[in-house]
């Protein structure tokens, strides 16, 4: 693995399956954590490296009154068109990879958990010592997007449908965390997996 003296846990799974929940639990257990979506937020900011190329690609109609990129507007465009989603990812992924690399190398803990929805698609899974896929039922994904994030049902379904099937990620992962039950049930799965990581260090 490219990161000496670091154990890298890759956390993946589709939208609203609970990756952030698992990431928070790993942080509580002692891991350094990196959220790829937060890095995307940062690079899309007006002073970020993705701002200019994304505005050039998608036009000024994606900007809010503050001249920042409105991710909700951008999301409606790309999740409705796989080719435009691919073009956005072509801009974002190299920049996010660079940020991830820096954060992993500077992480203070020997175990680093990386939350990335495109872990396999971006090639980052190859850098991980172990990959965990977080899953839940499709109706739970849609419900969480509607109630926790405020998406209308049609948009929630569109975002879920735009992603590769959960089963594909689960089949390629070293471990599956089933987040369709209670928070306590998810926490117990994470603790058990964490103990295995500690033993392997």
């Amino acid at each position: 693995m490219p990161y000496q003296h670091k154990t890298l846990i890759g956390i993946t799974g589709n939208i609203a399956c609970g990756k952030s929940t698992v990431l928070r639990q790993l942080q509580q257990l002692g891991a350094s954590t990196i959220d790829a979506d937060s890095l995307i937020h940062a690079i899309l900011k007006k002073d970020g490296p993705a701002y200019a190329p994304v505005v050039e690609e998608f036009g000024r109609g994606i900007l809010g009154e503050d001249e920042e990129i409105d991710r909700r507007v951008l999301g409606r465009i790309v999740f409705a068109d796989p080719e435009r989603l691919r073009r956005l990812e072509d801009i974002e992924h190299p920049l996010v990879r660079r940020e991830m690399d820096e954060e992993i190398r500077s992480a203070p803990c020997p175990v680093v958990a990386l939350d990335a929805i495109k872990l396999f698609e971006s090639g980052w899974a190859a850098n991980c010592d172990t990959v965990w896929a977080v899953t839940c039922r499709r109706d739970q994904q849609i419900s969480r997007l509607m109630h926790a994030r405020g998406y209308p049902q049609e948009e929630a379904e569109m975002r879920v449908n735009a992603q590769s099937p959960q089963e594909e990620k689960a089949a390629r992962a070293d471990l599956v965390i089933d987040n369709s039950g209670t928070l306590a049930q998810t926490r117990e799965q994470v603790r058990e997996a964490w103990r295995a990581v500690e033993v392997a260090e």
Side-chain angles (χ1 to χ4, degrees), residues 119-158:
L119 192 73
F120 289 115
E121 295 88 336
S122 65
W124 259 92
N127 295 323
C128 297
D129 296 280
T130 183
V131 174
W132 302 358
V134 185
T135 65
C136 71
R137 299 191 314 273
R138 172 186 163 82
D139 64 288
Q140 290 176 311
Q141 290 177 272
I142 294 169
S143 177
R144 290 168 184 171
L145 285 172
M146 292 173 63
H147 296 108
R149 306 192 197 180
Y151 291 118
Q153 182 169 347
E154 183 179 359
E155 187 172 348
E157 291 178 351
M158 180 178 67

Side-chain angles (χ1 to χ4, degrees), residues 17-87:
C17 280
K19 297 183 304 300
S20 296
T21 297
V22 171
L23 199 70
R24 283 193 300 272
Q25 292 173 355
L26 284 169
Q27 187 175 42
Q28 291 166 3
L29 289 167
S32 291
T33 57
I34 300 170
D35 179 357
D37 197 51
S38 294
L39 298 181
I40 290 173
H41 273 278
I43 66 171
L44 286 173
K45 285 288 189 185
K46 200 171 181 179
D47 58 354
Y51 181 89
V54 169
V55 172
E56 182 178 355
E57 175 68 37
F58 294 95
R60 296 188 61 82
I62 64 171
L63 299 179
E65 292 183 1
D66 58 359
E67 294 289 300
E68 293 284 1
I69 292 172
D70 186 328
R71 293 189 75 208
R72 195 76 178 262
V73 173
L74 181 59
R76 281 196 289 268
I77 293 170
V78 300
F79 284 111
D81 185 339
E83 176 57 27
R84 303 205 81 182
L85 178 60
R86 185 193 63 78
R87 292 209 295 273

